[in-house]
Amino acid sequence: MIELIRTNSKNPDFIQLVKFLDADLKIRDGEDHDFYDQFNKIDALKNVVVAYKNKLPIGCGAFKIHPEKTAEIKRMYVATNGRRLGIASKVLTELEQWAKELGITKCILETGKKQPEAIALYKKCGYTITANFGFYENVENSVCFKKLL
């Protein structure tokens, strides 16, 4: 059974899952990892979802609120033993629902070209590719998405 909880970045299960995420990204991003890592600090994230399977933490995601009723989806991760079970979609849907409850009307996010699973997930969930934004504006290996809620 999959259970989702809303929490914040102080949640120890979220912190542990992000460590696994960062280890995976360090391999995928290679030399570019330090550049991306500077934008992925979690200490100020107030909107975090952690997924549990049989009471064990298995996945997570978060969002950061930007001006103009926009939320940036961050720190999406599912542990290897939880993949292909729809957990990432459930976490993303919960994040979107929470954002809507807070008056957010649009989600944006950035992922890397070296993360084809993430790209497929976002497309499947109704996100469309948009111009790279913010820090990622001229970054060749970044892919940015948006979705109106």
Side-chain angles (χ1 to χ4, degrees), residues 13-77:
D13 293 330
F14 175 66
I15 293 168
Q16 186 61 48
L17 288 164
V18 167
K19 287 179 184 176
F20 295 140
L21 168 62
D22 287 338
D24 180 61
L25 291 176
K26 188 170 187 167
I27 294 166
R28 289 180 192 240
D29 294 338
E31 294 176 2
D32 294 333
H33 181 70
D34 288 340
F35 170 78
Y36 289 111
D37 191 49
Q38 67 183 319
F39 309 121
N40 289 317
K41 305 304 179 204
I42 64 170
D43 52 329
L45 293 174
K46 297 177 182 171
N47 305 93
V48 170
V49 170
V50 178
Y52 293 85
K53 181 180 176 199
N54 300 325
K55 302 199 185 281
L56 297 174
I58 195 87
C60 63
F63 64 85
K64 179 180 175 182
I65 297 176
H66 289 273
E68 303 195 16
K69 299 182 180 181
T70 300
E72 181 183 0
I73 303 296
K74 309 281 292 171
R75 314 314 290 165
M76 288 288 297
Y77 178 74

Side-chain angles (χ1 to χ4, degrees), residues 58-109:
I58 195 87
C60 63
F63 64 85
K64 179 180 175 182
I65 297 176
H66 289 273
E68 303 195 16
K69 299 182 180 181
T70 300
E72 181 183 0
I73 303 296
K74 309 281 292 171
R75 314 314 290 165
M76 288 288 297
Y77 178 74
V78 175
T80 53
N81 61 335
R83 294 183 183 160
R84 302 203 181 276
L85 300 175
I87 294 168
S89 295
K90 289 179 188 332
V91 169
L92 187 56
T93 299
E94 184 69 14
L95 290 168
E96 292 170 352
Q97 180 59 41
W98 193 359
K100 279 195 256 185
E101 291 168 15
L102 296 174
I104 301 297
T105 59
K106 178 174 79 172
C107 287
I108 58 173
L109 63 91

Side-chain angles (χ1 to χ4, degrees), residues 104-148:
I104 301 297
T105 59
K106 178 174 79 172
C107 287
I108 58 173
L109 63 91
E110 180 276 341
T111 192
K113 289 182 179 177
K114 296 176 183 175
Q115 298 173 58
E117 309 92 338
I119 292 169
L121 167 73
Y122 299 130
K123 286 181 177 179
K124 179 182 89 170
C125 291
Y127 284 75
T128 57
I129 293 176
T130 189
N132 286 8
F133 59 83
F135 304 113
Y136 311 108
E137 196 169 332
N138 295 309
V139 180
E140 185 179 322
N141 288 319
S142 288
V143 182
C144 290
F145 287 88
K146 69 177 179 180
K147 179 180 180 181
L148 298 179

